Amino acid sequence: MDSATSDRAALQATADNGLKIVVVGGFGVGKTTMVRSVSEIRPLNTEETMTRAGEAVDDLDGVRSKTSTTVAFDFGRITLDARSVLYLFGAPGQERFWYLWDRLFSGTLGAVVLVDTRRLADSWYAIDRLEHHGTPFIVACNDFGGPLHTEQQIREALALSDDVPLVECDARDRSSSKYVLITLVEHLHALSRGTAGALSAAHPETAPVKTPEHTP
């Protein structure tokens, strides 16, 4: 029995609110591993065994030990409360599958850009596409035991603004992956509050009117 799901209670078949999150990043950064570690159901994945033919089109620098790869997407689920669930999609990392990303971004609340500090350049496309779509995101550095970089060095390498959260994680660890998702949800909540505040300031006539307290 799958140890990741055997000790969890049976899930409701339906939910009133389904919230979609996407995990993107370069080839071999740990997207499938993160979805697998945090999902409360047995994840759906589309991994296929890597072949010699793929070596001619996929950049294997730094991930020579990788034996399988996602060719469509990964899917997992996390219950938030009795009425809401989080649907988690992991995008394929190879350049030849990037055309799928725009479709995965449809209806997405936000995204996690998972990066390997040994291959930071692989994350540029993910960040570019998210910014193009106006999709909020955070960046999570997966621990592969590579060279240490300061937060400022990573921000400069990825051209990240200060308002984009940057966290460290171990995608193999469920609690660490949950922390990444919590950080994203908190970021989305802060952005929504900021947008609501800006709209109220721009249109004060729409702000709620306080009723004065009755004085006896």
Side-chain angles (χ1 to χ4, degrees), residues 41-121:
I41 63 171
R42 186 184 298 275
L44 167 69
N45 61 65
T46 55
E47 282 196 308
E48 296 292 341
T49 301
M50 296 180 63
T51 64
R52 289 187 178 275
E55 294 182 8
V57 291
D58 296 329
D59 181 8
L60 301 181
D61 185 33
V63 289
R64 292 286 175 182
S65 61
K66 190 171 176 60
T67 59
S68 61
T69 185
T70 299
V71 296
F73 61 86
D74 304 303
F75 173 76
R77 166 179 159 156
I78 305 168
T79 298
L80 300 178
D81 55 40
R83 303 180 62 182
S84 302
V85 296
L86 187 69
Y87 296 122
L88 196 60
F89 290 81
Q94 303 101 304
E95 184 175 351
R96 56 195 167 110
F97 295 125
W98 284 353
Y99 71 93
L100 295 171
W101 287 17
D102 288 350
R103 296 182 181 181
L104 282 177
F105 291 163
S106 177
T108 299
L109 283 179
V112 174
V113 178
L114 196 59
V115 304
D116 178 351
T117 54
R118 302 170 302 176
R119 297 160 55 99
L120 283 174

Side-chain angles (χ1 to χ4, degrees), residues 130-193:
L130 290 168
E131 291 178 339
H132 172 77
H133 284 273
T135 304
F137 66 92
I138 69 168
V139 174
C141 296
N142 197 10
D143 180 16
F144 285 95
L148 296 177
H149 301 282
T150 66
E151 177 178 337
Q152 189 59 34
Q153 287 173 329
I154 295 174
R155 286 189 178 277
E156 290 177 357
L158 298 177
L160 288 181
S161 60
D162 292 338
D163 60 342
V164 176
L166 174 64
V167 298
E168 296 181 354
C169 74
D170 182 343
R172 300 167 299 180
D173 182 74
R174 184 167 188 260
S175 61
S176 182
S177 295
K178 284 179 64 177
Y179 171 73
V180 171
L181 297 180
I182 290 170
T183 301
L184 174 59
V185 171
E186 291 177 343
H187 180 53
L188 296 174
H189 181 61
L191 290 176
S192 67
R193 293 185 62 182

